[in-house]
Amino acid sequence: MNNLTVIKIGGNVIDNPNALNRFLTDFAKLLGDTILIHGGGKIATQVAEKLGVQTTMVDGRRITDQAMLDVVTMVYGGLVNKQIVAKLQALDINAIGLTGADANIILAQKRPVKDIDYGFVGDIIEVDSGRLQSFLHQELTPVIAPLTHDGAGNMLNTNADTMASAVAVDMSRHKAVTLVYCFEKKGVLSDPTNDDSVIRELTPALYTEYKTAGTINKGMIPKLDNAFNALRNGVERVVICHADEVAMALQEGAGTTLRVAANQPES
Amino acid sequence: MNNLTVIKIGGNVIDNPNALNRFLTDFAKLLGDTILIHGGGKIATQVAEKLGVQTTMVDGRRITDQAMLDVVTMVYGGLVNKQIVAKLQALDINAIGLTGADANIILAQKRPVKDIDYGFVGDIIEVDSGRLQSFLHQELTPVIAPLTHDGAGNMLNTNADTMASAVAVDMSRHKAVTLVYCFEKKGVLSDPTNDDSVIRELTPALYTEYKTAGTINKGMIPKLDNAFNALRNGVERVVICHADEVAMALQEGAGTTLRVAANQPES
């Protein structure tokens, strides 16, 4: 079983052309199969503003009405996705830009309304990892925008962190998967005021400790929950690191590596 | 060698949700392999206006500066393409949305500046029909936005009529190809004031006659030049018809069919 690295890059990389170019240059050099999942960045908010579409965020998640769905479909599925694909092509990576609707790779359902109506937000039902595996076999590199569809004709906005976890889990049927979350810090920090206080290895016990102490803050919690969930469901390794340090992190020289006893007994 | 139908739909269909739904429902019922190529529609112009990006047209072609390139990449590659893909998925067609950059299916070069600088407009260099053929083999239906890339990291705006012709010609290496141009009329008209004056068969000689008489007007000329070019380069059949009459036209009961003596000696 050969290796696959699923990498998620966030808005901070996408919003900064130099950071994006640096990341893509490093990404193009990675060995083994790769899948790239990108977030949205601030461009969607800026485009929405100019188009007169209101942006409402609840708990860090965008409320997606029809007008906002059109904006994110444009910006994530069009502008951001195709810019990344074109740049990877220039780096001799045969990238293929996809949303969940394309080749039906990620089917979702509109999130049921409980306390909050998130609008056109998709909770993932199924990843067609067989199709993604087939694309990798054809030497294509999937570049996936944080959009899914409901199978009934509607696109849905989907959180990129969750999507990366779901793709990594499902791909672990076919390959030994490493999941990498890139963000603006060098890893999970034990001291939020010190950028160099990277926790090298994070176990569930340690995670609980940091959460209780309030050291690991609100925004990190869903990311880490996604990450531990992936580890418990077949993903071999999860790394959280700065976008500039992906290559180093994959050689275990940077970032935070998550460990659960069950699948990493040797460490 | 099995059959392939390459269909190009224009802005008039895309701008009208009911017309688009009618067309996609018919499209989903077509037999044999299909590739759909879509134009842009007025949405790009509307989005550009709201974003404060000026639209300049010369001879019916958009001048594409960087800001306009971003708009068409968003609207054609994101909004329009993904809406079509999601709707086809709902009709049980396993559509995959692509631009020329995706899987490097259509490589182009920025049009050299002669009298007019068209900006980021791509003239097609190469279609990877082997890749498209492989997607068809995998029971995927390519839905292609009128965007290409230059292999150096830039997306390029490309005329959808030209793209349809180029794809059809290159695919004729693998399959018996019918190319269909859908537009707002029932076919090429012998009397522009009478929508029912459809020319059933158009030969190059007749085309020259109508051009000389001024009956076939400016906008139709590049479309027909593309169409005849396709016929002369391996495409078996070219039909020009209304988007509502595709199924009928393919059974030769509607629209204008182009004929060149060389490849259609029996008619």
Side-chain angles (χ1 to χ4, degrees):
Chain A
M1 194 152 86
N2 57 356
N3 295 319
L4 167 69
T5 309
V6 176
I7 303 188
K8 187 258 167 172
I9 51 167
N12 65 309
V13 184
I14 290 157
D15 290 333
N16 178 337
N18 291 333
L20 182 60
N21 286 337
R22 278 199 308 274
F23 168 78
L24 293 175
T25 305
D26 290 346
F27 178 82
K29 288 178 195 152
L30 295 177
L31 301 176
D33 288 328
T34 49
I35 293 177
L36 180 61
I37 293 167
H38 62 84
K42 291 189 193 123
I43 318 170
T45 309
Q46 289 162 359
V47 168
E49 252 172 44
K50 287 191 187 170
L51 293 176
V53 176
Q54 294 286 331
T55 299
T56 315
M57 309 285 284
V58 174
D59 290 342
R61 304 214 169 192
R62 198 186 293 274
I63 304 292
T64 309
D65 61 9
Q66 182 64 54
M68 187 55 80
L69 179 65
D70 286 353
V71 169
V72 297
T73 303
M74 280 197 279
V75 174
Y76 302 166
L79 189 61
V80 174
N81 190 264
K82 300 316 167 194
Q83 281 179 345
I84 291 173
V85 168
K87 285 178 180 187
L88 285 175
Q89 289 289 350
L91 294 162
D92 281 329
I93 299 297
N94 202 351
I96 181 164
L98 300 164
T99 67
D102 297 296
N104 191 26
I105 56 162
I106 308 174
L107 187 68
Q109 64 176 349
K110 190 166 176 292
R111 183 170 302 164
V113 178
K114 289 177 196 164
D115 299 341
I116 301 165
D117 183 357
Y118 286 100
F120 293 98
V121 165
D123 291 326
I124 294 172
I125 297 174
E126 198 178 2
V127 175
D128 186 352
S129 58
R131 179 72 70 181
L132 289 170
Q133 164 78 341
S134 154
F135 286 153
L136 294 171
H137 225 80
Q138 295 164 62
E139 300 191 347
L140 295 173
T141 298
V143 175
I144 310 178
L147 296 164
T148 55
H149 75 131
D150 67 358
N154 303 299
M155 297 298 295
L156 295 168
N157 192 5
T158 297
N159 179 272
D161 284 351
T162 312
M163 186 183 265
S165 172
V167 167
V169 166
D170 220 87
M171 287 304 295
S172 66
R173 295 188 201 180
H174 306 278
K175 289 178 184 281
V177 178
T178 295
L179 170 61
V180 182
Y181 285 107
C182 293
F183 77 143
E184 66 280 11
K185 302 281 182 186
K186 288 184 177 176
V188 184
L189 304 180
S190 60
D191 173 2
T193 65
N194 176 5
D195 272 1
D196 290 322
S197 66
V198 175
I199 303 166
R200 300 307 305 277
E201 286 199 7
L202 189 63
T203 58
L206 205 54
Y207 176 39
T208 306
E209 226 172 85
Y210 281 119
K211 271 198 293 190
T212 310
T215 312
I216 290 179
N217 69 10
K218 230 176 163 184
M220 272 312 277
I221 292 174
K223 195 185 290 286
L224 286 170
D225 286 344
N226 272 320
F228 276 113
N229 182 55
L231 266 189
R232 288 195 191 90
N233 288 281
V235 172
E236 293 227 334
R237 188 158 61 124
V238 178
V239 178
I240 297 181
C241 66
H242 195 285
D244 281 345
E245 295 186 343
V246 170
M248 232 199 304
L250 287 171
Q251 291 149 26
E252 309 211 26
T256 299
T257 298
L258 271 55
R259 303 277 183 206
V260 288
N263 74 339
Q264 299 280 351
E266 76 285 3
S267 56
Chain B
M1 193 152 85
N2 57 355
N3 296 319
L4 168 69
T5 308
V6 176
I7 303 187
K8 186 258 167 172
I9 51 168
N12 64 308
V13 184
I14 291 157
D15 290 332
N16 178 337
N18 291 332
L20 182 59
N21 286 338
R22 278 199 308 274
F23 169 78
L24 293 176
T25 305
D26 290 345
F27 178 82
K29 290 178 194 153
L30 295 177
L31 300 177
D33 287 329
T34 48
I35 293 177
L36 180 60
I37 293 168
H38 63 82
K42 291 190 193 121
I43 319 170
T45 308
Q46 288 161 1
V47 169
E49 251 171 44
K50 288 191 186 170
L51 294 176
V53 176
Q54 293 286 330
T55 299
T56 314
M57 307 285 283
V58 173
D59 290 342
R61 304 213 168 193
R62 200 185 292 273
I63 304 292
T64 310
D65 61 10
Q66 182 64 54
M68 186 55 79
L69 179 65
D70 286 353
V71 170
V72 297
T73 302
M74 281 197 278
V75 174
Y76 302 166
L79 189 61
V80 174
N81 190 264
K82 300 316 167 195
Q83 281 179 344
I84 292 174
V85 167
K87 285 178 180 188
L88 285 176
Q89 289 289 349
L91 294 162
D92 280 328
I93 298 297
N94 203 350
I96 181 165
L98 300 164
T99 67
D102 297 297
N104 191 26
I105 56 160
I106 309 176
L107 187 67
Q109 64 176 350
K110 190 165 175 291
R111 183 170 301 164
V113 178
K114 289 177 195 165
D115 298 341
I116 301 165
D117 183 357
Y118 287 99
F120 293 99
V121 165
D123 291 325
I124 293 171
I125 296 174
E126 199 178 0
V127 176
D128 186 351
S129 59
R131 179 71 68 182
L132 289 171
Q133 164 77 341
S134 154
F135 286 153
L136 294 172
H137 224 79
Q138 294 163 62
E139 300 190 348
L140 295 173
T141 297
V143 174
I144 310 178
L147 297 163
T148 54
H149 76 131
D150 67 358
N154 303 298
M155 296 300 293
L156 295 168
N157 192 5
T158 297
N159 178 272
D161 284 350
T162 312
M163 185 182 265
S165 172
V167 167
V169 166
D170 220 86
M171 287 305 294
S172 65
R173 293 187 201 181
H174 307 278
K175 289 179 185 280
V177 179
T178 295
L179 169 62
V180 182
Y181 284 108
C182 293
F183 77 143
E184 67 279 12
K185 303 283 182 183
K186 289 185 176 174
V188 184
L189 304 180
S190 60
D191 173 2
T193 64
N194 175 6
D195 271 1
D196 290 321
S197 67
V198 174
I199 304 166
R200 301 306 306 275
E201 286 200 6
L202 189 63
T203 59
L206 204 55
Y207 176 40
T208 306
E209 227 173 85
Y210 281 119
K211 272 199 294 188
T212 310
T215 314
I216 292 178
N217 70 8
K218 232 175 162 184
M220 272 312 277
I221 292 173
K223 194 184 290 288
L224 286 170
D225 286 345
N226 273 319
F228 276 113
N229 182 55
L231 267 190
R232 287 194 191 91
N233 288 281
V235 172
E236 292 226 336
R237 187 157 61 124
V238 178
V239 177
I240 297 181
C241 66
H242 195 285
D244 281 345
E245 297 186 342
V246 170
M248 231 199 304
L250 286 171
Q251 292 149 25
E252 309 212 25
T256 298
T257 298
L258 272 55
R259 302 278 184 206
V260 289
N263 74 340
Q264 297 281 353
E266 76 287 1
S267 57

